[in-house]
Amino acid sequence: MSLLQSTFSPPIRALGGITPRIVIASIGKPEKYSKMSVSTKKEAEIKRNPHPDFKGVEASRPDWDKGNGFHYTKTADPSWTLGSGANALHDDGAGSQHICIDPFEPGRPSPFNYKLLISGVVPRPIAFVSSQSADGAVRNLAPFSYFNMVNHDPPLFVIGVASGLAAPKDTLKNLVESGECVINIIGEGFVEAANAASVDSPYGVSEWDISGLTPVNDCADVKAPRVAEAVFSVECKLESVREFDSRSAPGKKSGSMAVVEGTRFWVREDALNDQRNIIDPAVLRPISRLGGITYGRVTDALELLRPRFEEDVGGAAGYEKLRKTDGAGSK
């Protein structure tokens, strides 16, 4: 699990003013439309949709609540004090025991780990990535929920892709060949279109056409377009890529992680404060990813002050009063 310096020419290195062009030697020039997407076989194995008749299930559900916009509430227990543990909402499952799962126990299919993890590590932010081939001939738009911000100086983001470099997903191929992309944050106003961009289309097919979203070609540092409908977008340059060896199928690569550096921020002016340092969630209206085919809205929010050790804990003396007397959690 190295940084693949032997795979790239020139070697990958941290961005230092000049970004090296990164090319995968093993990726050849594709046909106009590849016969099958890398995602097609994986999706068949995962069986993501739990509903034999999804439209029937959807029709039985309440309509979208337009009035349920972003708002603040109190915490579940505004009178909670340090050392009090879980609040009254905590549910112990009526005494249910925890089950220990070995992800690689004999007979456990690899997709089981994927389905369990994406249903347990929630909600996840989504990187809606716009990329294009080095020559600009092939444009791609795809959502990735293996995504997060990991640093602010410089602004660094990680994007996880469920494919290796020998048979890369379209976004990974474009990202490595061109060394750049745009990360857009999905909002409620185009969630259906963004989901449409997750289609298992072959390389050479543009998800811009399938989604109907609007490319804007005004980026300052990258050639890939940003999504006009997105309230917040970030121009990014590739910093490094790392492949991961599969444990369930030794000798194969199960995924890759791209680290990208944000070079420009694009924020719709009605979402931005005067100091240009806060984005209003009521305008951003971000969509998150849960398990299976489930997405989440951000409507209810609460605020909590970060405690200060001296003032709130009471320093060393206050901490001594809060210390547990044994490993069982009693005081």
Side-chain angles (χ1 to χ4, degrees), residues 5 95 98 178 182 275 301 312:
Q5 292 188 352
H98 282 77
S178 68
V182 179
Q275 293 179 301
D312 301 313

Side-chain angles (χ1 to χ4, degrees), residues 58-121:
E58 184 183 44
S60 69
R61 293 171 173 167
D63 290 336
W64 179 280
D65 187 354
K66 295 180 180 179
N68 189 19
F70 180 85
H71 63 281
Y72 287 101
T73 70
K74 299 176 182 177
T75 68
D77 184 1
S79 61
W80 186 94
T81 57
L82 294 171
S84 297
N87 62 41
L89 296 180
H90 174 66
D91 178 9
D92 65 1
S96 298
Q97 300 297 310
H98 282 77
I99 297 173
C100 180
I101 300 172
D102 179 351
F104 303 108
E105 64 187 8
R108 182 175 176 84
S110 181
F112 279 24
N113 295 330
Y114 172 78
K115 295 177 78 170
L116 184 144
L117 289 171
I118 66 169
S119 64
V121 184

Side-chain angles (χ1 to χ4, degrees), residues 20-277:
R21 182 174 179 182
I22 302 170
V23 179
I24 297 178
S26 59
I27 295 182
K29 188 175 181 179
E31 299 176 5
K32 184 177 181 181
Y33 302 120
S34 302
K35 294 182 179 180
M36 181 183 293
S37 166
V38 174
S39 300
T40 303
K41 183 179 179 180
K42 291 182 181 294
E43 286 298 312
E45 294 173 347
I46 292 169
K47 299 178 181 177
R48 192 186 304 268
N49 178 16
H51 310 296
D53 177 19
F54 170 72
K55 281 299 181 182
V57 172
E58 184 183 44
S60 69
R61 293 171 173 167
D63 290 336
W64 179 280
D65 187 354
K66 295 180 180 179
N68 189 19
F70 180 85
H71 63 281
Y72 287 101
T73 70
K74 299 176 182 177
T75 68
D77 184 1
S79 61
W80 186 94
T81 57
L82 294 171
S84 297
N87 62 41
L89 296 180
H90 174 66
D91 178 9
D92 65 1
S96 298
Q97 300 297 310
H98 282 77
I99 297 173
C100 180
I101 300 172
D102 179 351
F104 303 108
E105 64 187 8
R108 182 175 176 84
S110 181
F112 279 24
N113 295 330
Y114 172 78
K115 295 177 78 170
L116 184 144
L117 289 171
I118 66 169
S119 64
V121 184
V122 294
R124 298 186 306 283
I126 307 170
F128 197 28
V129 182
S130 164
S131 64
Q132 63 182 37
S133 57
D135 61 5
V138 179
R139 285 186 168 183
N140 185 262
L141 186 63
F144 292 88
S145 67
Y146 284 178
F147 161 69
N148 220 317
M149 177 184 75
V150 294
N151 197 43
H152 66 279
D153 182 17
L156 293 176
F157 307 84
V158 290
I159 303 169
V161 183
S163 72
L165 296 170
K169 285 193 173 184
D170 300 350
T171 297
L172 181 60
K173 175 179 172 61
N174 287 344
L175 180 57
V176 172
E177 288 187 347
S178 68
E180 60 183 43
C181 70
V182 179
I183 293 175
N184 307 273
I185 299 302
I186 298 172
E188 293 179 5
F190 61 99
V191 58
E192 298 88 354
N195 178 72
S198 68
V199 62
D200 60 339
S201 55
Y203 189 75
V205 172
S206 174
E207 289 80 8
W208 290 98
D209 297 323
I210 294 173
S211 67
L213 292 172
T214 311
V216 183
N217 298 292
D218 61 356
C219 290
D221 296 330
V222 306
K223 295 179 181 178
R226 61 185 179 87
V227 176
E229 290 80 0
V231 171
F232 181 44
S233 302
V234 182
E235 296 183 35
C236 298
K237 293 283 189 176
L238 182 62
E239 193 270 345
S240 61
V241 174
R242 179 174 178 173
E243 275 187 309
F244 298 100
D245 296 317
S246 171
R247 295 194 187 279
S248 60
K252 294 185 178 181
K253 303 295 184 182
S254 58
S256 304
M257 178 182 70
V259 179
V260 296
E261 178 177 342
T263 63
R264 302 277 180 160
F265 307 140
W266 291 83
V267 188
R268 210 173 72 190
E269 60 182 355
D270 62 323
L272 197 59
N273 67 345
D274 292 339
Q275 293 179 301
R276 303 202 303 177
N277 62 4

